[in-house]
Amino acid sequence: MSQLIGWGIVLGNIIFHQLAAQSSSTCTYKLSGKVVAEASHQPVSYAQVFIPELKRGVFTDSLGNYVIDKLCRGPLTLVCTHVNFQNLEISHTVDGSNQKLNFHLEKQSVMLEEVVISEHKLPGDASQTKEVLAGRIMATTRGLPLAQALQELPGIRTIQAGPQVVKPVIHGLHSNRIHIRNNGLRQEDQQWGQEHAPVLDPFQASRLTVLKGPAAIRYGNDAIAGAILVNPPDMPETDPFSGEAHLIGIANGRQGIGALRLEGAVKPVKGLSWRVQGSLKRAGDMRAPDYWLTNTGAQEENISATLAYRRKRWQTEVFASQFNTEMGILRAGHIGNITDLLESFDRQQPQFTDNNEYEIMNPRQQVKHRLLKGRINWQPTENDDLQLIYGYQQNQRQEFDIRRGGRSDIPALDLDLTTHTAELVWERTLNESWELVTGVSGLYQENRNVPGTGVRPLLPFYDSYSGGAFTSIKWTTSKRVYEAGIRYDGRFTESIRFTRLRVRESFEFPFHTFSASIGGWWKLGDNMNVRSHLGLAMRPPHVNELLSEGLHHGVARLEEGDTTLVPETGIKWTGEWSIRLNQNFSFSAAPYLHYFQNFIFITPDPLPRVTIRGTFPVYNYTQTDALLAGVDLSGTWSIVQNWELEGQASFLRARDLTKEQFLIGMPADRISATLRREFPKLGNLKQTFVQIRGQYVFEQIRTPDLPTITPETLPEVYQTQLDQLRAYQATVFGAPNAYTLVQAEAGTTLPMGTSELQFTVSCTNLLNTSYREYMNAFWLYADEPGRNVSLRIRWTF
């Protein structure tokens, strides 16, 4: 805490001296213009002109005119959007005079995967609390796993299984409750596992959008907690050849990452364009401040290609990708006997601290994910848009354990998941204010255990069939948006498994779920916006929650499902109040309440279990009624010209209403502050910046009550270890200490004619702090990685 106070004093001195030097405001300039249609030159009313750097925008009037005042001198980016036109982004420099800037928008159908274009189109989007990761901030996170990059956004946390396996958490919920949409297609990749990170290449995306409320109306019941939209850049229309290359070096783990994207428009065939993209990653064992984290290396090879054709009222696109990864699982998390397991919790450092460099040993995982998507858009009239999407995905997951008898090269879990999806969506603009969206979707999925593992599988065979239908309506004016929607989903799952006595069991699980939402967005004056969204969503239990039975080696624990689980019902309210007091200060508060009936969660058993494969904690799926309440806060203060202070805070309270205690596995509260100095023009360089960030993560003191164990309730094998078992309980139901982290970063861009080079240097955990993160499954065994210096080079041409 003293470190945090020290940094606060430093930041306070900088702010004081800069304020003292400021004698007058220079933010008095005005920008105005008109938004018109490119083809007809008719004015476009109710288009939005938005400045991302300032998080500020206005709508055009009925004649297409707009005015933005109180602007500072310097470069800005302006984005113009409208539901019926292509998104247009223009870089502009405010040079000290009142200027005119007009937008000429091209008519086009709205492509669902392009979130910016569809900002006022998709159901549940206008009134949804959302966050967008793009531009400079996204560039500085290149090379990080998807979920780790998203932590830059308020309210987004991660759940981990070691340093390499990271999954996103929205308001305390993750895995099957978050819908991930990869290039317009729902991602299906065994996402039920805590150590099953999203298998998609983040270099494909130019923008990541997070919807932080229930998005079940559009995306189905797996979006009960929200949705993450991974959006690629627009396909080129006129440029015959362009691209970008990334080269990244990361010191901790001696990681090297490279990525290349090439694209172009085929001039002989008007409307035809192409893109190819690929990336490579190699990482060795990472290091905590005081020791090596044995077997935490990883490697990836990814490739994708897109072919698109646009002609008048038709658009077609084919996208294919292959994702391959192999990653080690922290060796310290696999313990051979009860004594070692209990002792491992008390160790200052793990039993295994060898440096294997780039060798990935057991326990480890290999994953291959193939994806093929086809999309057709057709505009039969100016006001109608029909979109048909088909997707095929194959996910092959192999998990290798430490096995005896020369069987370590045989996977202990070998899953082959095949998924077919289809969606048909019709969007109709009834008039300039009313829009109707309706659609149907279907999914067929089969999951097979590849024979020959010699181990009873954690997850049994299953086939799943599901279908859904939704409709939503939206009313838009210049100062308010109202929207509402309903959806029905049906799912039928059949499964087969064998008991330990080799008795065949068959299961059938038919589920019917409903979703509904209503919300609005209001503009209260020039500088204040309010959003409010209320959504009801039902989620049926997944097969892992129903039928898991065995060792989940990736998180080093035994998991057991419950066939009596019923669908959970969630009612979530999200709100957002954002205000800009003046050109220099903005603030946003986003509270939320999420009530669950029959909330499904996994909780530890009071006792570990001894098996032939070692001794492991036991976790069981169960249900309760629950209430999650919290708030995300963010604010930006332009202290003086080119100096900015940004703050974020996230607070969450999660209660088990049935047992009247706190829920397990919820993120701790955290606050952060970032001081940034920008240099818009520095010789031949542009977009130069330096920044320092401090983050304080509170201790998670809101944990469940400890179960009661007595000698009478203990199995005979544990009779002599009562004190150790009580210590075990206090650990697995407890949480690590609070911690403070400091991060520094600097970057610049060098223009080179029609290309440019962007350099970013960053250092995380600058003070090399030893700490443990509660949301890491292996916090019981080892510290988090120590100081890490990264260099990122991006070449666009």
Side-chain angles (χ1 to χ4, degrees), residues 425-493:
V425 179
W426 172 43
E427 303 177 13
R428 178 169 178 79
T429 302
L430 304 177
N431 53 46
E432 65 179 14
S433 298
W434 289 91
E435 305 164 37
L436 177 70
V437 182
T438 188
V440 294
S441 63
L443 176 147
Y444 168 68
Q445 191 171 74
E446 62 177 27
N447 199 37
R448 296 292 180 262
N449 288 292
V450 179
T453 64
V455 177
R456 186 165 175 262
L458 170 68
L459 203 67
F461 284 26
Y462 70 84
D463 292 331
S464 185
Y465 311 82
S466 62
F470 76 92
T471 188
S472 71
I473 193 165
K474 182 188 296 184
W475 179 55
T476 305
T477 70
S478 61
K479 293 187 176 182
R480 61 184 62 90
V481 176
Y482 298 103
E483 56 192 4
I486 56 173
R487 183 183 179 105
Y488 162 79
D489 284 282
R491 177 185 295 176
F492 177 77
T493 302

Side-chain angles (χ1 to χ4, degrees), residues 26 51 174 198 205 247 283 318 321 348 363 523 553 603 663 696 700 782:
T26 60
I51 303 175
H174 56 87
L247 188 61
V318 177
S321 68
Q348 292 300 313
K523 183 177 178 62
H553 97 286
T603 184
L663 280 172
Y696 181 74
Q700 180 55 289

Side-chain angles (χ1 to χ4, degrees), residues 245-511:
H246 297 262
L247 188 61
I248 301 170
I250 302 176
N252 199 335
R254 302 169 307 286
Q255 302 178 56
I257 304 169
L260 177 65
R261 188 179 77 225
L262 304 174
E263 60 187 20
V266 181
K267 283 194 172 182
V269 183
K270 186 177 181 181
L272 183 64
S273 57
W274 59 273
R275 173 182 295 143
V276 293
Q277 189 269 339
S279 65
L280 297 170
K281 175 181 178 179
R282 188 75 183 273
D285 284 351
M286 299 193 73
R287 184 176 174 83
D290 301 318
Y291 50 83
W292 291 97
L293 299 170
T294 303
N295 203 42
T296 52
Q299 59 184 31
E300 288 181 12
E301 302 91 28
N302 312 305
I303 189 169
S304 65
T306 307
L307 189 65
Y309 179 70
R310 175 184 299 172
R311 191 66 174 171
K312 295 182 179 178
R313 299 187 181 275
W314 287 91
Q315 294 181 41
T316 61
E317 180 184 288
V318 177
F319 171 76
S321 68
Q322 169 83 40
F323 181 98
N324 303 309
T325 184
E326 181 179 15
M327 65 192 76
I329 302 297
L330 181 71
R331 179 65 182 89
H334 284 243
I335 308 299
N337 58 66
I338 181 65
T339 302
D340 289 344
L341 176 66
L342 296 174
E343 288 181 354
S344 69
F345 296 160
D346 296 326
R347 291 178 180 271
Q348 292 300 313
Q349 66 180 45
Q351 181 179 358
F352 303 97
T353 57
D354 299 328
N355 178 14
N356 296 330
E357 297 185 346
Y358 292 101
E359 183 180 4
I360 300 176
M361 305 174 66
N362 291 3
R364 60 189 172 92
Q365 298 181 357
Q366 288 183 341
V367 182
K368 296 180 180 179
H369 190 80
R370 301 178 183 90
L371 184 149
L372 176 65
K373 184 198 82 170
R375 177 181 60 83
I376 299 176
N377 273 79
W378 176 45
Q379 282 186 294
T381 70
E382 289 290 322
N383 297 320
D384 292 279
D385 183 273
L386 282 170
Q387 178 171 244
L388 175 65
I389 296 178
Y390 165 77
Y392 166 82
Q393 297 176 73
Q394 183 187 31
N395 184 272
Q396 296 173 306
R397 169 174 286 273
Q398 293 181 319
E399 303 188 357
F400 297 84
D401 206 350
I402 301 170
R403 307 179 70 177
R404 302 186 183 116
R407 295 181 297 163
S408 291
D409 291 333
I410 301 174
L413 183 66
D414 197 344
L415 299 176
D416 192 334
L417 177 69
T418 302
T419 306
H420 300 267
T421 56
E423 295 181 359
L424 178 63
V425 179
W426 172 43
E427 303 177 13
R428 178 169 178 79
T429 302
L430 304 177
N431 53 46
E432 65 179 14
S433 298
W434 289 91
E435 305 164 37
L436 177 70
V437 182
T438 188
V440 294
S441 63
L443 176 147
Y444 168 68
Q445 191 171 74
E446 62 177 27
N447 199 37
R448 296 292 180 262
N449 288 292
V450 179
T453 64
V455 177
R456 186 165 175 262
L458 170 68
L459 203 67
F461 284 26
Y462 70 84
D463 292 331
S464 185
Y465 311 82
S466 62
F470 76 92
T471 188
S472 71
I473 193 165
K474 182 188 296 184
W475 179 55
T476 305
T477 70
S478 61
K479 293 187 176 182
R480 61 184 62 90
V481 176
Y482 298 103
E483 56 192 4
I486 56 173
R487 183 183 179 105
Y488 162 79
D489 284 282
R491 177 185 295 176
F492 177 77
T493 302
E494 52 186 356
S495 181
I496 299 172
R497 75 176 179 186
F498 289 88
T499 67
R500 290 185 174 89
L501 300 177
R502 303 203 58 79
V503 176
R504 186 177 186 270
E505 292 182 310
S506 298
F507 300 90
E508 292 184 352
F509 301 102
F511 294 113

Side-chain angles (χ1 to χ4, degrees), residues 12 16 33 60 98 159 162 273 283 492 537 546 571 600 603 693 704 739 778:
F16 174 80
T60 59
N98 296 332
I159 190 167
S273 57
F492 177 77
L546 295 163
I571 301 175
I600 301 171
T603 184
R693 172 184 299 173
Y739 61 87
F778 293 127

